[in-house]
Amino acid sequence: MDKKGITKQEISEKLKEFKEEDMTYRSGRILGSMCTCPHEVGLEAYKMFLESNLGDSGLFKGTRKMEKEVIQMLGNLLGKEDVCGHIITGGTEANIMAMRAARNSSNIKDPEIIVPKSAHFSFKKAADMLCLKLREAELDENYRVDVNSVKELISDKTVAVVGIAGTTELGVIDPIEELSKLCLEENIYLHVDAAFGGFTIPFLGLSGRNLPKFDFSLEGVSSITIDPHKMGLAPIPTGGIIFRDRSYLESISTETPYLTDKEQFTIVGTRTGASTAATWALLKYFGKDGYCKIAKGCMEVTEYLAEGIKKSGFNLMVEPKLNLVAFDSNEIEIDTIVDELKEEGWAVSVSSYPRAIRIVVMPHVKMEHVKEFTDDLSKIHAK
Ligand code: PLP
């Protein structure tokens, strides 16, 4: 650190230099991310509440009120209005909170959690931090969790089962209804990770698409992760954790002696209220109709992309149900395809199981980008 500061003008110039090295969502070239351009309505709200700290919410009563309204609106979207929860940093914090609630709500020694083999790596972090044994259930031929494999893994040490509504790598929806029945029978906490699908599945359903149930309308579902900073178009970092019952939240309470609040439930202490403000503004601005339009638009681009990929001579891993397409090739190595796409300026990502190129069709990915992309794919295939 230098002794003397520099001028605002110099800072601005330096910042621009850094920024020039960053990719932008707006370019349409980021094809492997679940984040997107934050919407201007959310950004405005975010800026207004930059100094608000929900970790000391007695000082920010307006923001606290907004958070309650946001949780209620998300509950309404997810099949149950009288839910509780928080707006937090993202899917990772939400999943850790859910696993902590599941563990603390039981009195089980040497606790275990059962997650699909396709689960996000945040569950590995959760297991490590919370001293939980992670048991991975097998997938069926469509890469959904195999409920029989879950059944086989259940023991008197199981504190939670996890199902995924929109897997990170393939966008697949697990059979949550069957998991819900199983968990009710076995009296086990069921967490649904809808970090990605939570802002899409309900709206595609409202638009007439037939997608499986995944939410609190299923009695066995105890908690849901839903990330506004993914398909909700909120700025980073904005996650959501929703619990069916207040007792789950209470099980993860920590006393906070010197603050205006007596207790805290989240992993982070100081917690931005800006994310809550952005989510509140976006939910109000778009309403269900607006989000339906966004989800439908993404699916149209997804279906066009999937057709283009097939026509270019590549194989889809699964027919997309959500806005994610994964593919491989009989002739060309995945790494070679990734390198060649990179040379053309495309940033794609690679899934681990099955190994495939993975394109997330977020709202910043438009038809014109997909047309250019599939043209490049055809050229790669023809080489
Ligand atoms: N859960 C799922 C299904 C995800 O796809 C992701 C991230 O892509 C996460 C959790 C973790 O979310 P975050 O990166 O916001 O912590």
Side-chain angles (χ1 to χ4, degrees):
M1 189 172 171
D2 298 328
K3 185 168 183 301
K4 279 201 170 177
I6 58 174
T7 64
K8 285 184 192 166
Q9 165 113 25
E10 283 170 312
I11 287 171
S12 165
E13 277 158 21
K14 295 261 177 223
L15 288 177
K16 275 185 204 143
E17 279 175 35
F18 284 118
K19 185 109 179 82
E20 262 163 31
E21 287 188 42
D22 286 359
M23 286 191 81
T24 62
Y25 296 112
R26 216 175 329 108
S27 67
R29 294 271 156 174
I30 301 181
L31 298 181
S33 173
M34 286 186 165
C35 294
T36 191
C37 317
H39 190 272
E40 65 200 31
V41 168
L43 277 180
E44 274 309 306
Y46 195 94
K47 278 191 241 158
M48 251 179 97
F49 284 81
L50 273 176
E51 67 177 28
S52 149
N53 172 15
L54 279 172
D56 199 359
S57 74
L59 303 176
F60 304 97
K61 291 193 176 124
T63 321
R64 186 163 68 187
K65 205 190 253 174
M66 253 193 306
E67 190 185 36
K68 285 219 169 89
E69 289 190 23
V70 168
I71 298 302
Q72 202 183 18
M73 286 190 271
L74 292 178
N76 170 279
L77 185 66
L78 298 173
K80 188 174 187 287
E81 211 139 300
D82 58 332
V83 289
C84 56
H86 284 295
I87 294 301
I88 49 177
T89 54
T92 300
E93 190 181 359
N95 289 340
I96 295 172
M97 282 176 70
M99 292 304 96
R100 188 168 169 230
R103 186 198 64 176
N104 291 6
S105 303
S106 78
N107 278 324
I108 294 174
K109 257 191 151 194
D110 305 322
E112 298 182 355
I113 57 172
I114 301 171
V115 307
K117 207 170 161 183
S118 52
H120 185 261
F121 54 78
S122 47
F123 290 99
K124 292 196 171 137
K125 296 184 186 178
D128 186 40
M129 291 161 80
L130 299 165
C131 301
L132 303 165
K133 184 164 179 193
L134 189 81
R135 318 235 24 207
E136 287 187 323
E138 294 300 325
L139 308 184
D140 66 15
E141 64 282 7
N142 295 313
Y143 303 101
R144 305 175 339 144
V145 75
D146 177 348
V147 179
N148 282 326
S149 171
V150 174
K151 264 187 206 163
E152 279 164 21
L153 290 174
I154 289 178
S155 75
D156 54 6
K157 294 182 174 170
T158 310
V159 293
V161 166
V162 173
I164 310 168
T167 58
T168 311
E169 295 201 329
L170 298 183
V172 162
I173 306 168
D174 282 333
I176 308 291
E177 193 160 2
E178 286 176 59
L179 291 179
S180 167
K181 271 192 205 139
L182 178 64
C183 287
L184 277 178
E185 275 164 26
E186 300 280 346
N187 193 24
I188 296 175
Y189 186 108
L190 172 61
H191 175 63
V192 176
D193 182 357
F196 178 57
F199 264 93
T200 316
I201 303 167
F203 300 118
L204 290 176
L206 287 172
S207 312
R209 289 189 188 234
N210 192 13
L211 291 174
K213 283 188 187 172
F214 76 103
D215 62 14
F216 290 117
S217 61
L218 302 169
E219 279 295 310
V221 173
S222 310
S223 54
I224 301 180
T225 290
I226 175 169
D227 268 5
H229 72 194
K230 295 189 167 74
M231 282 300 289
L233 269 57
I236 299 167
T238 310
I241 178 69
I242 318 287
F243 293 99
R244 170 181 289 277
D245 197 275
R246 192 157 177 90
S247 64
Y248 294 131
L249 203 55
E250 274 155 16
S251 77
I252 54 172
S253 153
T254 303
E255 271 183 50
T256 50
Y258 67 91
L259 299 177
T260 51
D261 299 317
K262 289 201 170 51
E263 54 183 349
Q264 217 172 67
F265 309 94
T266 51
I267 309 288
V268 296
T270 299
R271 178 165 61 97
T272 181
S275 298
T276 284
T279 310
W280 186 92
L282 288 167
L283 291 174
K284 289 287 183 192
Y285 177 73
F286 284 121
K288 286 184 175 156
D289 287 351
Y291 277 117
C292 280
K293 214 167 148 195
I294 294 166
K296 263 169 63 183
C298 286
M299 282 314 292
E300 276 161 25
V301 180
T302 302
E303 278 150 10
Y304 184 82
L305 171 64
E307 278 310 304
I309 287 172
K310 283 194 258 183
K311 277 191 203 140
S312 311
F314 295 85
N315 319 311
L316 294 189
M317 308 322 287
V318 286
E319 281 299 326
K321 292 273 187 300
L322 297 181
N323 46 325
L324 204 161
V325 187
F327 64 95
D328 71 0
S329 161
N330 296 339
E331 298 91 16
I332 319 171
E333 288 288 322
I334 298 279
D335 292 338
T336 311
I337 306 171
V338 173
D339 289 346
E340 299 211 7
L341 286 170
K342 200 170 170 191
E343 264 177 41
E344 298 298 330
W346 300 106
V348 295
S349 81
V350 176
S351 64
S352 62
Y353 185 79
R355 212 171 132 69
I357 294 182
R358 161 185 176 273
I359 311 287
V360 193
V361 187
M362 295 301 286
H364 64 267
V365 181
K366 309 285 184 207
M367 276 300 186
E368 69 254 31
H369 305 127
V370 165
K371 282 182 186 152
E372 259 187 82
F373 178 77
T374 46
D375 282 350
D376 285 343
L377 266 187
S378 299
K379 279 186 228 149
I380 292 169
H381 194 262
K383 269 190 189 171

